[in-house]
Amino acid sequence: TAHAVIATLSPLLSAMTSFFQSHRLASASSRRFLGVSRELVPMMIDARPRIGRHAAYGFMRQVREGEEPPEDPRSFTASKRQNVLAQHLKEALMANLNQFCDFTKLIGIDIAKSVFQIYSCDTQTGEITNVQIKRDKVLESLANCGKCLIGMEACGSSQYWARKLQTLGHTVRLMDSKLVKPFVRHNKSDKADAEGVYHALVSGVRAVAVKTETERDIQTLLTMRALLVKQRTARINHVRGLLAEYGHVMPKSVDQFDKKVDECINSLEGDAVQLVIDMLRDTVKSIRDEHDRIKTLQREISRLANQTRNAKHFLTVPGIGETIMAYMCVLLADPTQFSSGRQFAAYLGLVPMHTGSGGKTVTTKIPGRCDKALRALLVQGQVEIPDRLGEKHFGKEMPESVRVHLP
């Protein structure tokens, strides 16, 4: 009786086993979405982790369009199924990599302080690796490779690594992290970030110019100068507010402040305690020291900026001086990144934003996501054009487009 029961239930047990195995490897919803036969889905999912998800989906699309395998997949053994699918996936992957035939590898690097994640794809074999490398071993690991196309996010220290990798003969593309984010397909991790950088690189995301060492020094000095100007302004306003409590109103100009502040402080003799007078004099001395440091930085910035290739072109524009010219030398390190002057103006935040839906576009306010200090300098340069040049530049009658900017 037991043997009869087992013989009766064997076909049912075999069918249930096949059913659960197929659903474990590929759900019914994924089969309906992909539009492929039930026998092919388990074979594809089995080999997908070894070949790569994007290549597996590409092969599924080929099957859906009618390109059947050379033999009936139902007759394949497990090992043969994986070998046949691996071959088709490899062909699809290599066809996608033909556009990068000039490079040995395509590499996406996730930068960190001490540990880097490197996702690479060999353009000759299609082999994919995603490994973790210590910071001091990065250049050593990439020194013995052939010419590679390397992508990184444009973040802290990315310019340094881009210059170092370029000295090894590689081509480096720095990409905005906001543009790379949509390519991260999983939860955030180092491996997922490196893979996202790789896919953004292959997809042709807009790159950021790699600055030279001179442009790097100019940017560093401009940052220092901006901080000193901010500190000097804060100290001047601090002294101006304190003197107002003693009945002295100081002018807003830095030059006028420097001329009259000593007289105002000396007039406090007998009205304020000596410690207040001494502290004000120390503060004024620090303001003058900062002013001298700003002048020193300005001279060095001008000297370095004049060594760049586009400096002379920037100075020919009315309203552009040494400081704005230095900023432009950094921002327009590679002018080919912008298709027109309007695109560069939008990048600087000089034009208003817009929003729209349903075929209607509305112009909104000036954006705040820009370098406000540079935008202020450009506006000041535009305002100073009539005062500096006047009739000598525009003739007897100034155009209305310039007249409206008079202060």
Side-chain angles (χ1 to χ4, degrees):
T1 304
H3 290 288
V5 173
I6 294 175
T8 304
L9 295 178
S10 293
L12 179 60
L13 294 174
S14 299
M16 293 177 64
T17 302
S18 301
F19 175 79
F20 284 115
Q21 285 180 350
S22 63
H23 278 65
R24 177 177 60 85
L25 296 173
S27 64
S29 59
S30 64
R31 289 202 304 273
R32 288 195 299 270
F33 174 76
L34 296 171
V36 297
S37 62
R38 180 180 300 177
E39 292 80 5
L40 288 175
V41 173
M43 178 177 65
M44 294 173 184
I45 303 301
D46 278 338
R48 187 178 64 181
R50 296 178 176 85
I51 305 302
R53 176 185 304 170
H54 56 289
Y57 286 155
F59 179 63
M60 292 180 193
R61 287 194 296 269
Q62 293 179 3
V63 173
R64 183 176 54 192
E65 295 172 359
E67 300 179 13
E68 294 293 336
E71 300 181 33
D72 187 359
R74 291 175 292 183
S75 63
F76 290 172
T77 61
S79 59
K80 188 174 182 179
R81 284 188 305 182
Q82 292 183 1
N83 292 335
V84 171
L85 180 60
Q87 182 64 28
H88 282 274
L89 295 178
K90 183 177 179 180
E91 292 175 359
L93 179 61
M94 296 307 297
N96 190 31
L97 295 177
N98 285 338
Q99 56 179 325
F100 302 105
C101 59
D102 296 336
F103 301 100
T104 304
K105 290 183 179 181
L106 304 178
I107 300 176
I109 301 180
D110 180 44
I111 302 176
K113 292 182 179 179
S114 58
V115 177
F116 286 28
Q117 191 73 31
I118 298 180
Y119 185 99
S120 64
C121 177
D122 195 311
T123 58
Q124 304 299 323
T125 63
E127 180 184 1
I128 294 176
T129 59
N130 197 348
V131 297
Q132 192 180 79
I133 299 180
K134 296 291 185 181
R135 179 187 180 91
D136 55 352
K137 300 293 183 180
V138 172
L139 296 178
E140 180 181 348
S141 63
L142 297 175
N144 298 325
C145 299
K147 185 180 179 181
C148 300
L149 179 61
I150 301 176
M152 295 184 294
E153 289 181 320
C155 56
S157 75
S158 61
Q159 291 285 343
Y160 165 80
W161 288 108
R163 286 190 295 270
K164 288 294 184 181
L165 293 174
Q166 284 181 341
T167 58
L168 298 178
H170 302 304
T171 301
V172 183
R173 292 181 185 173
L174 301 180
M175 299 168 289
D176 188 353
S177 57
K178 293 181 180 179
L179 301 180
V180 175
K181 180 63 176 178
F183 293 90
V184 179
R185 303 179 179 179
H186 320 290
N187 295 328
K188 179 171 175 57
S189 64
D190 291 342
K191 289 187 176 182
D193 291 344
E195 183 179 356
V197 173
Y198 164 80
H199 288 298
L201 174 67
V202 175
S203 300
V205 170
R206 184 174 69 248
V208 178
V210 178
K211 299 180 179 63
T212 63
E213 294 181 355
T214 301
E215 293 165 349
R216 173 204 59 188
D217 294 340
I218 294 173
Q219 186 176 20
T220 302
L221 293 176
L222 285 172
T223 304
M224 293 179 178
R225 179 186 178 278
L227 178 61
L228 287 176
V229 170
K230 184 178 180 180
Q231 292 176 347
R232 183 188 65 180
T233 304
R235 291 178 184 274
I236 289 176
N237 292 334
H238 174 66
V239 174
R240 183 183 290 112
L242 294 177
L243 291 177
E245 296 296 328
Y246 293 90
H248 297 282
V249 179
M250 300 295 297
K252 293 183 178 181
S253 172
V254 177
D255 294 336
Q256 293 297 323
F257 173 85
D258 186 61
K259 292 179 180 178
K260 297 182 179 181
V261 65
D262 292 332
E263 179 182 353
C264 293
I265 294 176
N266 293 333
S267 64
L268 297 180
E269 296 286 349
D271 188 18
V273 296
Q274 189 62 35
L275 182 59
V276 171
I277 299 174
D278 294 340
M279 292 299 296
L280 287 175
R281 287 172 177 169
D282 292 340
T283 304
V284 172
K285 183 177 181 301
S286 64
I287 292 173
R288 289 168 176 164
D289 292 340
E290 289 178 349
H291 188 67
D292 294 338
R293 293 174 62 188
I294 291 172
K295 289 184 177 180
T296 303
L297 287 174
Q298 186 62 52
R299 287 193 297 268
E300 185 64 18
I301 290 171
S302 300
R303 186 186 70 82
L304 292 175
N306 286 319
Q307 297 177 4
T308 59
R309 57 181 179 177
N310 296 321
K312 295 181 180 179
H313 300 291
F314 295 141
L315 291 176
T316 59
V317 180
I320 300 297
E322 296 287 341
T323 303
I324 301 179
M325 180 265 291
Y327 273 104
M328 292 299 177
C329 290
V330 175
L331 293 175
L332 283 177
D334 184 9
T336 59
Q337 298 293 329
F338 302 94
S339 59
S340 63
R342 295 190 177 193
Q343 187 180 20
F344 181 61
Y347 168 74
L348 295 178
L350 297 176
V351 296
M353 299 183 294
H354 65 270
T355 182
S357 179
K360 182 178 180 181
T361 303
V362 179
T363 301
T364 60
K365 61 181 180 179
I366 295 291
R369 55 177 188 271
C370 63
D371 190 343
K372 296 181 180 180
L374 174 59
R375 185 171 63 184
L377 289 174
L378 291 172
V379 173
Q380 291 174 7
Q382 175 69 15
V383 171
E384 290 294 328
I385 291 178
D387 293 341
R388 295 289 183 98
L389 303 178
E391 296 182 359
K392 179 180 180 182
H393 182 79
F394 295 104
K396 295 183 179 180
E397 187 68 23
M398 288 188 295
E400 189 67 23
S401 61
V402 175
R403 189 182 301 276
V404 296
H405 292 288
L406 288 174

